[in-house]
Amino acid sequence: MSHNVRKSETLLEISSRKAIISEGEKDFILRNILCETKKFVTAQQFDIWFSCLKIRAITNSSLVFLTPNNFIREWLHNNYVDLFSGIVYKILNSSREVIFSSGDESHEKSLDTSCSADNVSSKNVDLYEETYTVPISKYYSFENFIVGTCNRLAHAAAIAVAESPGQAFNPLFIYGGSGLGKTHLLYAISNLLASKGTIKTLYVSCERFVNHYISTIRSNSWDIFRRLYRDIDVLLIDDIHFFENSQGSREEFFHIFNYLYSTKKQIVITSDCPPEAIGSLEDRLVSRFKWGLLCGIDAPAIETRIAIIEKLSLLWGIDLSHEMAQYLAENVAGNIREIEGAIIRLSKEAKVIKNSFTLDFVKKVVHNLSEGKKYVGIEAIITLVSNKFGVSVSQILSKYRTKSLTLPRHIIMYLSRKLTNMSLTEIGGYLGGKDHSTVLHADEKIKRTLKKDKNLLFILQKLENELQKNSGL
Ligand code: ADP
Ligand code: MG
């Protein structure tokens, strides 16, 4: 990457110029932004979340960061969009919408068009090749993965595969519930292999694979697609249950699997359930997934939860006593991602109270956390929205596409994304078998409309309040 930024030109001049912003200039701006960010986060947090950022595009109205995956994109969006907006304003001396992108989302297409003024897409760089080059955070290592009876086999198998790819277990299939460490293990394999240098590893979420397949149908760029997934030594494919609704991409994956397997390349797969429980997966794929080693990850027992909490508290710079860790392990409901959320919240609040970090304080934060996160079910959303719009639930779930049904359906999808923990596929499935991209588009359409339509904003706020009020743990 070139770094030939003219010394006499200021950041402001670069950003306000109409001409194309070069890679070197983007790099220069990025370095300034990251330098500023370092003032607000610990060195460890910086390494994990921010060091992997790249700038994908700068337009007159927005600055688009490229992140390695959806997980980090969402995390940064939820926790740091305000901080970044401030920093970008400070550095470029004009405000821009800060967007975190990962290349996983199907709306990337529209992003490309909106950025075309800055000539992002005309470089003819394949978006997927570009995003795959973003490094995975070094935090996701085997050392940082706490081992207990719940995940011992998966951890050992992942290490064996990383130590001798193509020779230990092929394929290795890891399954287990959300937030139990499947992606962490794939990243750890990728990081260990990267440290050896010579082995070409590709991590891809199944969602990204499916989106890439769909965009390849449109662009007919099969050469790039096939090269990307075949010219590798190790394929790590995450959340394969996402294939459920996409027969074409499953077919393509079947050929990639056969090619890699027959050339003794390593394949590691994760899913939220065992292969035979993934709906609509063809028998031939199910049986191939079972050729190697299948291993499950269970929810961690209390001792493992405590060990994870102690490790995470070190990382987030909070001083937890064993008693506090025990309290968290027993009282934070849910998976390890939820535990991580609680620790992050504690570390943010601890900065404010400084010296009075007591068990009572921990209890208060945990209590607030569970209060703020009341469970809202999709059934309640469907019933309430149907009611408000004067249509029946069966009409909402039907295939009819009249105008009077489209808006409430879109609102249901938007609210389900916002208030439940369901995936796009699950929401679509619930609403009569819509696919994930339909849900994503509906969600985005409502978000766009909300920016200009105060009436809709008001209606949605009322609906949300009502749902929160009626729900309860
Ligand atoms: P999954 O892919 O199964 O949904 P993730 O791998 O994304 O779950 O894990 C969620 C979070 O919990 C990650 O930040 C991960 O680092 C952390 N985590 C999960 N399992 C462990 C573990 N055994 N030790 C340490 N951290 C863990
Ligand atoms: Mg995952």
Side-chain angles (χ1 to χ4, degrees):
M1 195 182 281
S2 83
H3 296 264
N4 53 338
V5 182
R6 273 168 283 154
K7 281 233 166 60
S8 56
E9 203 170 18
T10 66
L11 284 163
L12 174 62
E13 283 162 347
I14 294 171
S15 73
S16 58
R17 234 192 306 131
K18 283 267 178 275
I20 300 163
I21 296 178
S22 73
E23 287 303 313
E25 287 162 344
K26 277 196 222 157
D27 202 37
F28 181 53
I29 293 172
L30 178 66
R31 272 183 285 135
N32 277 278
I33 292 177
L34 292 183
C35 213
E36 194 62 24
T37 311
K38 278 186 182 158
K39 297 181 187 160
F40 296 91
V41 298
T42 66
Q44 248 173 333
Q45 285 162 3
F46 184 84
D47 271 358
I48 295 170
W49 301 105
F50 304 100
S51 60
C52 55
L53 284 179
K54 289 182 176 179
I55 289 184
R56 188 166 155 221
I58 302 177
T59 72
N60 288 333
S61 59
S62 64
L63 192 150
V64 187
F65 286 103
L66 187 63
T67 67
N69 53 52
N70 259 337
F71 178 64
I72 293 186
R73 175 181 69 80
E74 265 176 43
W75 198 90
L76 287 171
H77 179 77
N78 292 339
N79 296 291
Y80 283 98
V81 85
D82 294 342
L83 175 72
F84 270 86
S85 302
I87 292 177
V88 167
Y89 180 81
K90 186 170 168 198
I91 303 272
L92 299 179
N93 215 1
S94 71
S95 69
R96 280 176 170 74
E97 184 185 4
V98 169
I99 300 171
F100 294 104
S101 117
S102 71
D104 273 1
E105 313 91 340
S106 29
H107 70 265
E108 289 285 341
K109 274 251 156 286
S110 57
L111 193 61
D112 273 350
T113 334
S114 66
C115 295
S116 62
D118 286 351
N119 215 7
V120 174
S121 46
S122 63
K123 279 193 301 156
N124 206 14
V125 174
D126 183 73
L127 171 65
Y128 290 89
E129 291 212 273
E130 185 191 349
T131 53
Y132 289 140
T133 60
V134 182
I136 288 172
S137 162
K138 294 276 173 288
Y139 169 73
Y140 297 102
S141 61
F142 289 114
E143 294 74 44
N144 284 339
F145 189 85
I146 306 289
V147 183
T149 20
C150 58
N151 56 25
R152 182 160 285 121
L153 180 61
H155 177 255
I159 292 182
V161 158
E163 280 174 351
S164 23
Q167 290 165 32
F169 316 105
N170 208 11
L172 170 61
F173 191 105
I174 302 173
Y175 63 91
S178 172
L180 295 182
K182 303 181 295 297
T183 301
H184 188 131
L185 284 177
L186 289 192
Y187 285 172
I189 296 175
S190 176
N191 277 332
L192 188 68
L193 288 169
S195 69
K196 295 183 183 166
T198 48
I199 291 175
K200 221 170 156 189
T201 309
L202 179 69
Y203 165 88
V204 63
S205 70
C206 187
E207 182 176 5
R208 180 180 284 181
F209 181 87
V210 171
N211 286 339
H212 192 191
Y213 170 79
I214 293 167
S215 73
T216 304
I217 295 176
R218 288 198 210 112
S219 62
N220 208 15
S221 46
W222 291 104
D223 257 12
I224 295 177
F225 184 90
R226 302 218 160 103
R227 190 163 31 86
L228 187 61
Y229 298 102
R230 280 175 172 75
D231 185 17
I232 48 176
D233 301 306
V234 177
L235 175 65
L236 309 168
I237 182 157
D238 207 357
D239 292 332
I240 201 108
H241 50 272
F242 201 84
F243 266 146
E244 210 167 335
N245 291 324
S246 175
Q247 202 221 331
S249 57
R250 284 203 303 269
E251 180 76 30
E252 195 58 42
F253 181 74
F254 179 73
H255 297 302
I256 291 168
F257 183 102
N258 287 343
Y259 175 82
L260 293 177
Y261 186 86
S262 64
T263 49
K264 299 219 167 356
K265 309 294 184 186
Q266 179 69 49
I267 305 153
V268 185
I269 301 164
T270 74
S271 158
D272 64 0
C273 56
E276 60 275 15
I278 305 175
S280 71
L281 202 63
E282 293 80 4
D283 288 348
R284 58 184 189 164
L285 264 178
V286 173
S287 70
R288 266 164 183 72
F289 290 166
K290 292 177 167 176
W291 279 352
L293 178 71
L294 278 183
C295 46
I297 302 187
D298 292 320
I302 201 81
E303 301 74 31
T304 315
R305 284 166 79 83
I306 293 177
I308 292 170
I309 288 167
E310 283 174 345
K311 177 114 195 171
L312 287 173
S313 62
L314 279 182
L315 169 68
W316 287 96
I318 51 176
D319 199 7
L320 277 190
S321 65
H322 186 75
E323 195 187 14
M324 293 174 191
Q326 174 122 15
Y327 178 84
L328 284 173
E330 284 166 1
N331 291 282
V332 175
N335 58 41
I336 300 166
R337 195 173 289 129
E338 305 284 339
I339 294 179
E340 209 170 36
I343 303 266
I344 293 171
R345 172 69 78 90
L346 272 172
S347 93
K348 279 189 177 173
E349 307 224 354
K351 286 207 176 77
V352 184
I353 58 139
K354 298 224 162 58
N355 294 330
S356 36
F357 197 86
T358 58
L359 182 60
D360 277 346
F361 168 75
V362 173
K363 283 183 183 170
K364 208 169 96 212
V365 173
V366 171
H367 177 75
N368 290 346
L369 212 60
S370 60
E371 277 287 291
K373 251 205 184 161
K374 283 187 172 160
Y375 172 75
V376 176
I378 191 166
E379 296 93 326
I381 298 175
I382 296 175
T383 314
L384 182 70
V385 176
S386 313
N387 242 326
K388 292 276 170 201
F389 282 81
V391 293
S392 70
V393 171
S394 57
Q395 281 174 314
I396 287 283
L397 302 181
S398 71
K399 299 243 179 284
Y400 290 119
R401 287 168 158 223
T402 58
K403 229 177 159 191
S404 61
L405 294 173
T406 312
L407 180 62
R409 254 184 220 137
H410 284 177
I411 291 181
I412 291 172
M413 292 180 195
Y414 163 84
L415 287 173
S416 307
R417 280 276 277 166
K418 188 162 181 200
L419 303 176
T420 74
N421 284 333
M422 293 169 82
S423 67
L424 293 169
T425 315
E426 286 167 330
I427 296 170
Y430 216 100
L431 287 166
K434 311 270 185 305
D435 71 16
H436 76 282
S437 58
T438 311
V439 182
L440 194 60
H441 284 134
D443 184 45
E444 259 145 28
K445 192 156 182 216
I446 295 287
K447 281 182 187 151
R448 270 199 308 275
T449 319
L450 278 179
K451 286 192 182 146
K452 347 179 245 228
D453 187 342
K454 291 264 169 308
N455 232 346
L456 184 64
L457 187 66
F458 179 71
I459 296 173
L460 288 190
Q461 275 167 355
K462 269 192 81 175
L463 287 170
E464 251 183 69
N465 287 345
E466 235 173 296
L467 285 163
Q468 297 277 3
K469 214 167 53 213
N470 298 338
S471 66
L473 285 171

